[in-house]
Amino acid sequence: MAEPLRPFRLRGCGGPQKFGVAAGSLRGLLRKGCRLLQLPLAGSRLCLYEDGTELTESYFRALPPQTELVLLGPGESWRGCASDIERLLAAFCSQQGAVVEAARKLLTDERAPHRQKLLADLIHNLSENILAEDKEDDRKWFEGLESRFKNKSSYLRHSCESRMRGYMREVSGFISNVHPAARDAYRGIIDLMADKLKSVKYNGCYFDRREEEEAARLCTAEGWFSCQGPFDRDDCPCKHSINPYSNRESRILFSTWNLDHVIEKKRAVVPELAEAVKTRDGREVNWEYFYQLLFTLDNLKLVHIACHKKTNHNLSCDKTRIYRKRKQTHEIS
């Protein structure tokens, strides 16, 4: 009695194209494959794509349907996934675009999650154009952005400035929670902070690779940013890193990263500022200390979204820095 036909995915070792072939026996599959790929039956053999294991009839019967196989002609060899990587690297030496295209073809019909991730990461990395800064040198990076952005740094500066403006709006919006008698003083501090932010261009230099001295605390001149870890750690457990200048996908992904206030803005800093204004009793509120906590890297950590803990940090402002002594003026007698 003939064995029932089972479907398999078959390819040669010289290219990524895959074919669906059904057979009930190893011999039958080998014969159909040789006709399809125009290889001689004598000396040809089948092996697993995964690791290069050569098939026997008994091993063939144990294979699940849709297993990916490689048909080898006389003298050909296959060492599993490493063979594809070698082919991709060989193509890369001559033409980077060929590597990306080959990887995309492999990914089209790839089902194994681990290999999918490897191929996706390879495509992502080879599509980078890190050194390009201006729009005309990397137009794909700017897809979906307003036409006013002419270089990468200008967009990333704008993104940082937008975050800082958002923080400023939150501080201003809290005024309804301030004691009525202290609101004028609170507004005065808001004005001082706003002027300070404007003078430093809303700290957009933190994300401008052209401002190397200022940006060095977050990234290198090439534009790499590293996750600085959750608020309760000094490092990132997963070693997250990203270069938003590299390609469009990285730019979009970077927008999901957070600037995390270690001493929390909503739970600690802003309420403490409001309380300090209310109970100042002739003392001068150290608004620059609160400014540092709200808008600078003294209290902000760049973190991957997975490292941004939304739970209560249980940290408070330094009580010794909330007020400062007023400057004394002495009359000359």
Side-chain angles (χ1 to χ4, degrees), residues 118-158:
L118 288 174
L119 288 168
D121 287 347
L122 178 64
I123 293 169
H124 175 80
N125 292 333
L126 292 182
S127 300
E128 291 181 346
N129 193 359
I130 293 174
L131 296 180
E133 169 69 13
D134 297 327
K135 189 171 184 177
E136 57 265 26
D137 297 324
D138 192 357
R139 290 195 171 275
K140 187 173 179 58
W141 192 93
F142 292 85
E143 288 181 2
L145 300 182
E146 297 177 38
S147 59
R148 63 191 173 103
F149 298 114
K150 304 302 181 184
N151 56 63
K152 296 178 181 179
S153 291
S154 66
Y155 171 74
L156 290 171
R157 276 199 310 273
H158 167 77

